[in-house]
Amino acid sequence: MQDRYAFEFMYNYYKGILGSFVSSDVHSYMPMYQYEDDIFQEASTVLVTAIDTYRNDQQTHFSTYYTILARRRVWNILRSISRKYGRFREMISLDESMGQEESLYEIIPQKDPMNDPEFILHYGMAADQLKKALGSMSEDEVDAAAAWITNEPYQEGAEKRGLSYKAWDGRRTRVRRKIRDAVYGR
């Protein structure tokens, strides 16, 4: 709808995904390292394309659609650079067909899930939901959540707060359920 603030929000929200694509692909092929900033800058235009062409009736999330477009855009830019500067010709193509519709990037297992843009997106969304859930809890519930997160022993936690073991266990269980429901959208 041509809303500048909405676009800036979307850009800031999704630039991490694009940055991780660029970083992982460029660092996998070190001769491209010197072009990393240029590749990111040029690939940033894919957000405009994703916003303009996304359709709600296709039953897919915008983040999934954007991830596919961003990945393809980065690969196209890398391919373009490799053609322009012939010294990369002996490198394997990023879209080398490995199976029916799989690329080399999808075949090679990624060691760190924080390099997977889709994982980062879902992780960020879950972190936002956790913050919202903690913001709506009482002080006692926030205390129970902190104890759960830090793995505080049940007996020690109950004694520290002057509660029975059963009461403390019940409070932590309710807090875990609230957090799980908030993060998974139940």
Side-chain angles (χ1 to χ4, degrees), residues 141-183:
E141 290 174 325
V142 171
D143 179 49
W148 173 48
I149 290 169
T150 60
N151 272 341
E152 181 179 38
Y154 276 73
Q155 192 64 38
E156 182 182 310
E159 290 171 4
K160 185 174 162 183
R161 290 158 185 88
L163 297 172
S164 70
Y165 182 86
K166 180 109 173 122
W168 179 240
D169 177 54
R171 184 180 294 171
R172 283 182 61 165
T173 301
R174 282 189 303 278
V175 166
R176 283 195 310 267
R177 190 174 302 122
K178 280 185 175 184
I179 290 173
R180 184 181 60 238
D181 291 349
V183 169

Side-chain angles (χ1 to χ4, degrees), residues 14-27 36 40 43-44 66 70 74 115 117 120:
Y14 288 104
K15 72 180 177 184
I17 291 175
L18 183 60
S20 67
F21 280 142
V22 171
S23 180
S24 66
D25 289 346
V26 166
H27 290 280
E36 184 172 8
F40 180 83
S44 294
Y66 173 76
V74 170
N115 284 335
I120 292 170

Side-chain angles (χ1 to χ4, degrees), residues 9-134:
F9 174 81
M10 296 282 286
Y11 175 77
N12 289 329
Y13 192 79
Y14 288 104
K15 72 180 177 184
I17 291 175
L18 183 60
S20 67
F21 280 142
V22 171
S23 180
S24 66
D25 289 346
V26 166
H27 290 280
S28 296
Y29 305 99
M30 289 310 281
M32 296 288 189
Y33 182 75
Q34 61 185 336
Y35 303 106
E36 184 172 8
D37 293 335
D38 297 333
I39 293 168
F40 180 83
Q41 187 89 19
E42 190 172 335
S44 294
T45 61
V46 78
L47 181 60
V48 174
T49 304
I51 290 170
D52 289 343
T53 60
Y54 177 71
R55 291 179 31 202
N56 286 332
D57 62 343
Q58 293 298 313
Q59 298 180 349
T60 185
H61 292 286
F62 178 80
S63 60
T64 304
Y65 182 69
Y66 173 76
T67 299
I68 292 168
L69 290 182
R71 180 175 284 166
R72 287 179 183 165
R73 182 69 179 137
V74 170
W75 289 347
N76 287 339
I77 293 168
L78 289 170
R79 209 173 23 246
S80 173
I81 291 172
S82 69
R83 281 188 204 121
K84 186 175 180 180
Y85 303 101
R87 63 178 185 234
F88 302 120
R89 286 195 181 132
E90 60 276 355
M91 296 176 68
I92 189 165
S93 172
L94 289 173
D95 58 344
E96 178 77 27
S97 180
M98 304 305 280
Q100 292 175 336
E101 289 190 18
E102 297 172 319
S103 68
L104 182 63
Y105 182 85
E106 293 163 338
I107 297 283
I108 298 172
Q110 302 300 311
K111 295 177 181 96
D112 182 9
M114 293 309 277
N115 284 335
D116 181 11
E118 198 167 348
F119 178 83
I120 292 170
L121 175 69
H122 292 295
Y123 183 86
M125 293 166 86
D128 290 343
Q129 293 300 327
L130 175 62
K131 286 178 189 174
K132 283 182 188 176
L134 290 174

